[in-house]
Amino acid sequence: MIQSLNVEATLLSTAHPHISKHTSTRSLLVSAVIGLTGISSILVSVSTNELSTTMNMVFLTLGTILILVSLYRFFWKSNEVVYLPTGSVVSEGTRYIDSCDLDTMARLIEDKNFNLSERLSFKHSGNGRVDYLVSKDRQFAAVQLFRFVPYMYEPATQVYYYTGDDAAAFARYLCTKSN
């Protein structure tokens, strides 16, 4: 049976030697284009007296919204996590399970036994939480289980890292298990 661990490191706070967090140049460029479009829209609304006041307000509102979207993307969506050996972007996710399934899930991730015959159903919420990272090319994966205690989730297992076929099997298990 899983015991609650006094684990300091969690999935998203630990650094794996093959994982790098960096700023996405593409995302920065998209943010800049959106911001420039917003500024242009505001300049059109302010400098043109030939448009109706309704069109001026539309351009002003559109420009303001585009600038806010640009700032949001620039500050909060411009960083990405990359698996260095393949250069693949890593995405994070969370799935929930019943607390009675935590032991089974812990055994699956510890033994790297992701055959699809042992079916666990993921829920929209639950007392057990599965946090994971999976690279886009499915050559890297990391997983950690959490147990809900009053008011918060606490780590129930250490962080497990998978590469190669084990990572692909884990990613396949997650994809076929979603409800």
Side-chain angles (χ1 to χ4, degrees), residues 42-128:
I42 289 174
L43 289 176
V44 165
S45 84
V46 171
S47 66
T48 307
N49 293 332
E50 297 168 8
L51 295 175
S52 68
T53 55
T54 305
M55 287 305 293
N56 280 338
M57 289 305 295
V58 167
F59 278 117
L60 185 64
T61 304
L62 179 66
T64 303
I65 290 171
L66 288 174
I67 288 172
L68 290 174
V69 167
S70 172
L71 290 173
Y72 172 75
R73 285 182 51 89
F74 183 77
F75 288 109
W76 287 282
K77 293 294 182 179
S78 61
N79 292 329
E80 64 186 5
V81 179
V82 175
Y83 179 54
L84 294 176
T86 62
S88 180
V89 176
V90 175
S91 60
E92 63 183 72
T94 298
R95 298 284 170 92
Y96 296 93
I97 57 177
D98 290 329
S99 60
C100 59
D101 292 335
L102 273 173
D103 290 331
T104 305
M105 190 65 182
R107 189 172 28 82
L108 289 173
I109 63 173
E110 189 174 323
D111 296 342
K112 300 179 188 178
N113 181 17
F114 302 116
N115 65 26
L116 302 177
S117 63
E118 202 162 337
R119 301 218 177 254
L120 291 179
S121 61
F122 293 115
K123 313 281 184 201
H124 294 289
S125 65
N127 289 337

Side-chain angles (χ1 to χ4, degrees), residues 150-164:
Y151 309 113
M152 62 182 278
Y153 284 94
E154 67 178 23
T157 65
Q158 65 185 17
V159 179
Y160 289 91
Y161 296 101
Y162 308 116
T163 56

Side-chain angles (χ1 to χ4, degrees), residues 11-22:
L11 183 65
L12 302 177
S13 68
T14 59
H16 188 272
H18 294 140
I19 294 292
S20 172
K21 292 181 183 179
H22 70 274

